[in-house]
């Protein structure tokens, strides 16, 4: 029974995540930082 996917699978999943989810997350973080800066 394997619990961890293979390195190749992990790399593919990571590449897919960077293409799809990461841009949204970084954008949300930047927006939060901009709000903080404006509030100061």
């Amino acid at each position: 029974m394997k619990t961890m996917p293979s390195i190749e699978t992990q790399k593919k999943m990571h590449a897919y995540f960077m293409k799809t989810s990461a841009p949204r997350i970084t954008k949300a973080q930047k927006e939060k930082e901009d709000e903080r800066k404006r509030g100061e």
Side-chain angles (χ1 to χ4, degrees):
M1 185 176 106
K2 276 171 117 178
T3 50
M4 288 289 288
S6 68
I7 301 296
E8 289 83 30
T9 308
Q10 285 182 354
K11 282 183 184 168
K12 281 182 201 158
M13 286 166 61
H14 181 73
Y16 178 76
F17 170 79
M18 292 304 283
K19 268 198 306 228
T20 55
S21 303
R24 280 199 309 267
I25 294 168
T26 51
K27 195 172 135 199
Q29 285 176 343
K30 279 194 186 118
E31 283 171 7
K32 277 184 194 162
E33 283 176 20
D34 290 344
E35 283 176 24
R36 259 211 328 262
K37 285 175 187 167
R38 266 188 244 124
E40 285 173 1

